[in-house]
């Protein structure tokens, strides 16, 4: 029990990060039925921007970690939102009429371009930050095994889960969320009521890019850094989470991210960790065969659903 509880506590930050990135996938796909495969690289860009923000404040003599990390998070949100909106405009908005395959290939090109861009700017060496708020809080003991959690893990989990929950609530209650749901349900009817589809899509791309950037900032806060190529596997697992939850549904995709984190934690508790990713991708294949709409979506595959 103690070992299982420790695995759950260790997996909380990773679960929150998966949920944020899965929601980013669903925001774009749920609106226009297009996959943006560059979110992992946008997360890596957010991590690099976090390093820039922290470095800028340290240059001016700041020593407290909280202001530096706050500035780094703001830089991550802005950088990923701008790159997500601009990159998505050229890879999705401008070629929507060409079909889904053209956009899919274009976003693959965008992800490779962003990866190389980060490599050229940041270099091949990952910038690692010293741990902050990493003193262990002891929770319980089972013989010689001690269950503990760190303040940074609690903070990362709270930010990720809180941000994801806020997006889910905003999609139901805000003016943007109402416009998003209306356009996702019937683009032509929404256009008759004055909703500009392209402008809405650009705002959606910016929001989803900001979520990816925040996930990158949380990776830096929790684990110390993210390399220029480190976003690929992160984005791939988040895509798996979005598909499992129902990629056309923002709440479903967010819950799918939490489910993926829970699956990895449960597997780590009971089975060999080195086979965890194989089991995860096998689960994806099974879901695509037997329930293509995802666990939290409809039984049949649907491109857009709320």
């Amino acid at each position: 029990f103690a070992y299982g509880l420790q695995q759950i506590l260790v997996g909380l930050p990773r679960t929150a990060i998966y949920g944020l990135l899965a929601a980013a996938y669903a925001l774009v796909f749920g609106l226009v039925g297009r996959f943006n495969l560059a979110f992992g690289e946008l997360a890596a860009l957010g991590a690099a921007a976090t390093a820039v923000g922290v470095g800028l404040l340290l240059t001016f003599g700041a020593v407290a970690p909280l202001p530096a990390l706050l500035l780094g998070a703001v830089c991550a949100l802005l950088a990923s939102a701008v790159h997500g909106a601009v990159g998505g405009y050229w890879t999705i908005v401008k070629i929507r009429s060409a079909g889904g395959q053209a956009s899919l290939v274009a976003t693959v090109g965008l992800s490779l371009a962003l990866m190389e861009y980060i490599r050229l700017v940041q270099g091949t060496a990952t910038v690692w930050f010293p741990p902050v708020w990493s003193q262990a809080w002891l929770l319980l003991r089972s013989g010689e095994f001690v269950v503990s959690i760190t303040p940074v893990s609690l903070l990362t989990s709270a930010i990720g889960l809180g941000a994801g929950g806020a997006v889910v609530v905003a999609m139901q209650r805000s003016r943007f969320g109402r416009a998003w749901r209306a356009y996702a349900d019937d683009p032509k009817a929404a256009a008759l009521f004055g909703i500009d589809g392209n402008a809405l899509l650009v705002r959606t791309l910016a929001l989803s890019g900001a979520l990816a950037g925040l996930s990158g900032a949380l990776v830096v806060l929790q684990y110390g850094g993210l390399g220029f190529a480190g976003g690929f596997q992160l984005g791939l697992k988040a895509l798996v989470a979005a598909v499992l939850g129902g990629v056309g549904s923002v709440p479903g995709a967010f819950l799918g991210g939490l489910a993926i984190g829970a699956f990895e934690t449960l597997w780590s508790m009971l089975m060999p960790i080195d086979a965890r990713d194989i089991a995860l991708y096998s689960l994806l294949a099974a879901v695509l065969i037997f329930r293509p709409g995802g666990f939290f979506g409809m039984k049949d595959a649907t491109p857009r659903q709320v």
Side-chain angles (χ1 to χ4, degrees):
F1 172 80
Y3 179 73
L5 179 60
Q6 185 66 69
Q7 289 294 333
I8 292 173
L9 295 176
V10 169
L12 279 177
R14 183 176 64 246
T15 300
I17 292 168
Y18 289 161
L20 280 180
L21 277 176
Y25 278 108
L27 277 169
V28 177
F29 189 88
L31 185 66
V32 293
R34 298 287 187 272
F35 278 113
N36 185 354
L37 298 181
F39 282 123
E41 284 65 37
L42 287 173
L45 180 67
T50 302
V52 172
V54 172
L56 284 174
L57 209 57
L58 292 178
T59 301
F60 291 102
V63 294
L66 183 59
L69 290 171
L70 286 176
L71 180 59
V74 170
C75 291
L77 288 170
L78 291 176
S80 295
V82 171
H83 284 79
V86 174
Y89 177 79
W90 290 105
T91 58
I92 297 178
V93 179
K94 294 292 288 184
I95 57 176
R96 283 176 61 188
S97 60
Q101 289 184 348
S103 292
L104 187 67
V105 173
T107 59
V108 171
L110 175 63
S111 68
L112 294 175
L114 286 174
M115 187 186 301
E116 187 66 10
Y117 168 61
I118 298 170
R119 186 190 69 83
L120 292 174
V121 173
Q122 179 180 274
T124 57
T126 303
V127 179
W128 295 100
F129 289 91
V132 294
W133 306 309
S134 58
Q135 63 275 17
W137 290 350
L138 305 182
L139 300 180
L140 58 88
R141 182 188 301 273
S142 176
E144 296 183 355
F145 189 87
V146 176
V147 178
S148 63
I149 192 170
T150 60
V152 68
S153 295
L154 289 175
L155 179 62
T156 303
S157 304
I159 293 174
L161 295 175
V167 170
V168 171
V169 173
M171 295 303 293
Q172 297 296 325
R173 300 184 180 181
S174 68
R175 182 178 179 181
F176 169 80
R178 289 192 296 271
W180 188 96
R181 288 185 286 120
Y183 192 86
D185 185 60
D186 193 331
K188 293 182 179 179
L192 291 175
F193 281 89
I195 296 176
D196 186 339
N198 286 340
L200 178 64
L201 178 54
V202 171
R203 292 197 297 270
T204 301
L205 290 167
L207 175 60
S208 58
L211 290 179
L214 178 60
S215 68
L218 293 180
V219 170
V220 172
L221 176 62
Q222 176 66 33
Y223 303 108
L226 182 65
F228 73 95
F232 175 78
Q233 188 173 17
L234 185 64
L236 181 60
K237 288 189 175 182
L239 178 60
V240 173
V243 172
L244 292 181
V247 72
S249 168
V250 176
F254 182 64
L255 290 175
L258 304 187
I260 287 296
F263 175 84
E264 289 192 343
T265 299
L266 184 63
W267 186 274
S268 300
M269 290 166 52
L270 303 175
M271 306 295 289
I273 294 179
D274 54 359
R276 185 178 61 191
D277 288 350
I278 296 177
L280 177 61
Y281 299 134
S282 299
L283 176 64
L284 171 64
V287 170
L288 289 176
I289 294 171
F290 297 107
R291 192 176 177 87
F295 288 135
F296 303 103
M298 300 178 69
K299 183 176 181 180
D300 297 325
T302 54
R304 291 180 291 210
Q305 53 184 289
V306 182

